[in-house]
Amino acid sequence: MTTSKDKRIKKFKRKRIWPSIFGMLFMVFISMMLIIIVFAFSVTDIVQRKVVNAEILSAEVAGLFEGYGTDEETANAIRERAAVYIEALDDVEDVYVTDKQGNCVWSCYENRPDTDKMAEFEFDTGYYSVQHNIIIEEDELGIIEVDDRGAHLAEDFYDKINFEELGKRAEESGDIPMYTSVMDFSLWYVLDVDGYSVYVLNSLPVYLSDLVGVVSMAVVLAMLIAVFALYYIVSFVGVVRSEHRTSRIIYTDMITGGNNWFYFIKKGTPILKKNRGKKKYAMIHMRMYKYRSFCTCFGVRKGEELLEKFYHVLRRKMRKKELVAYHENAEFGLLLAYTTREELVQRIEALELAVEQSIPNIKLYFGYGICEIEPKEHDIEQLYNNAFTACELLEEDAERKIAFFDEEMNKQRLWERKVEDDMENALANKEFKVYLQPKISAAEEKLAGAEALVRWIHPKDGFIPPNKFIPIFEKNGFILKLDDYMLEEVAKQQAEWISQGQEIVPISVNVSRAHFTREDLAEHICEIVDKYNVPHDVIELELTESAFFDDKKVLLNTVKKLRESGFPVSMDDFGAGYSSLNSLKELTIDVLKIDADFFRNVEEVERGMLIVSEVIDLAKKLNMKIVAEGIESRDQVDFLVQQECDLIQGYFFAKPMPVDEFVQKYKHS
Ligand code: C2E
Ligand code: CA
Ligand code: CA
């Protein structure tokens, strides 16, 4: 099923699953990016602010060392002030001062800067230009705040601070967790002060309180993402559920409630594709006959219930990797694994038994077409079609109800298609030719009549005998047109010969049983023949005996009317059917054509001859002429002459031949 049907199912099923998934992924991606960007910007901002703060503080602290070392007292005072700063300012952890030679002249806690690694952090000496506008003051909690409100640090601030008290209050206030650092990094700032290098170690902790903004933004974003995610999850679940429902609708058969034909194809194809010859598979077309009559008797609903029951019985009997589905018109498709043909036939019979037992009081009739599957075949539709073709060749009431598909059947099908494609053109192009087979009078062995038999001279395929296309035309109704054409050609021919003043003999044409559905058949025939002003008695109409099984009323009426109009009517293939004698009782006709089959079976030749002689006798008593058909030997001719048979038609005298040849042989001799 790779065609438009397949595409249509796919299109039908293709719901908005992917848009949902892509939408969700896109949203998650965008949100993540947003969070990362916001976080990065915020943290950078925090750190930057911290760094600027640290730079200002470092410059402030380094400024203390101006004039360091001029005398011992100043140096001590400076050290003391520096120590106070360091202790008071949380962010300044240590100061380390070196002289020009790099020797340490003062350090508060003796942290040593790692000068090798310091290059990257080296502080721009222009920091002296940074305004020393820092003020450290105590808020109402006693917590020291450093800000830049423009006043210089009071020298005596240290005395004002009660550190112990401050720590205690901060702890009590519960603010401490907010001041727990979540990130900590230290920076050495190096400043040149009066020839000394002042290294200020800054700790730059990032507190939770610093992150409040970022965190709340992240929370808001996370909530947004959650809302979107929820929306997408809900819509995704909805899509999945509706997809599931659509699948069920697409693959459920409305009559049986089971899997339908699409499902069969969908599941069957991979089973066959994956099977590399390990198992043998067969496609079975199972057909219930007389389903329509069942529906007429019991109602369509009961009929559908019956099919539903069958489906479930069959379904239960399927083994692993076997399939069954209702197809249409009381037909099921089955994909069965098997080992031998015998085993397969037994399996089918067992399935039929199970189905029959589910409806105990009703006699059911089934036919099966089987297509054995070659390892690489997987076109379910084609295989089913093959199985169907095999089943088509079974007669409904025949004993045989299981047929295996073979390539010949396929060829036959293809041929039928070709014939159907070409027939209209062939008729228009006069590709159908009249061949005439002489009928010879038994007594004088002289031409006494002829039968018109059609031949198809195909422009590509050449000569085609009637048995290759007549049965097809009989099925599709084209025989009506062909027979009219033949009748007209024969009438035309007779008219031509009459106008030439030639002696003519009656020519018979075959009238297919398909004609006996039209009540005005006799009028129709007259109309065609009368176009050419031909006396009716030179055109004989051969009806096949099997026409008797159709609409008897039309047949009897038509024959009556035709005979009244002067057309001789003959019964073709007498003896080939079943109710020969019976038909003679009801039907008055002029000629009886006895089938040559009576002579063909060597073992029963004598019995055949006996019957023929009796039939001839009977025909004579009923005032009918006898034509013996298919006569191939002198013995047969002698026998017929002896039995006083009227006319003989057969290869012994001549095969059917084109009109020209007939003229040459019989008209100018
Ligand atoms: P049919 O009407 O029974 O015609 C007699 C068939 O027996 C012809 O086959 C003829 O060629 C063949 N035949 C004649 N003598 C002998 C013989 O000695 N031995 C053997 N073995 N066969 C002999 P053909 O022409 O192939 O036609 C086959 C059938 O096709 C005809 O059987 C007839 O039923 C049908 N048919 C032919 N032409 C037409 C037509 O124009 N219209 C209709 N409706 N059917 C036609
Ligand atoms: Ca015939
Ligand atoms: Ca015949």
Side-chain angles (χ1 to χ4, degrees), residues 437 451 454-455 466 483 486 510 572-573 629-630 632 650-651 656:
Q437 186 177 30
E451 178 176 4
V454 68
R455 299 290 180 263
D483 280 355
M486 288 293 285
N510 291 283
D572 203 355
D573 305 328
E629 257 193 304
E632 294 179 346
Y651 291 173

Side-chain angles (χ1 to χ4, degrees), residues 435 437 451-455 465-467 469-471 474 479 482-483 486-487 509-513 515 542 544 572-573 593 595-596 600 629-633 636 649-656:
Y435 271 48
Q437 186 177 30
E451 178 176 4
L453 293 158
V454 68
R455 299 290 180 263
N467 59 354
F469 57 89
I470 295 281
E474 278 179 337
I479 193 69
L482 181 69
D483 280 355
M486 288 293 285
L487 177 66
V509 292
N510 291 283
V511 182
S512 163
R513 63 191 274 188
H515 292 273
E542 293 193 10
T544 150
D572 203 355
D573 305 328
K593 293 189 83 175
D595 205 79
R600 294 237 163 85
E629 257 193 304
I631 302 306
E632 294 179 346
S633 69
Q636 289 170 346
Q649 178 186 348
Y651 291 173
F652 177 74
F653 290 114
K655 285 192 173 180

Side-chain angles (χ1 to χ4, degrees), residues 451-496:
E451 178 176 4
L453 293 158
V454 68
R455 299 290 180 263
W456 186 351
I457 315 294
H458 195 280
K460 280 196 203 122
D461 299 317
F463 182 94
I464 310 174
N467 59 354
K468 291 268 230 161
F469 57 89
I470 295 281
I472 302 173
F473 292 171
E474 278 179 337
K475 257 197 270 174
N476 66 23
F478 190 71
I479 193 69
L480 304 179
K481 286 189 186 177
L482 181 69
D483 280 355
D484 286 356
Y485 171 82
M486 288 293 285
L487 177 66
E488 188 158 349
E489 288 297 296
V490 168
K492 218 191 282 176
Q493 189 59 69
Q494 294 285 53
E496 194 188 317

Side-chain angles (χ1 to χ4, degrees), residues 498-510:
I498 293 171
S499 70
Q500 291 166 357
Q502 298 213 30
E503 211 177 290
I504 56 165
V505 289
I507 297 180
S508 60
V509 292
N510 291 283

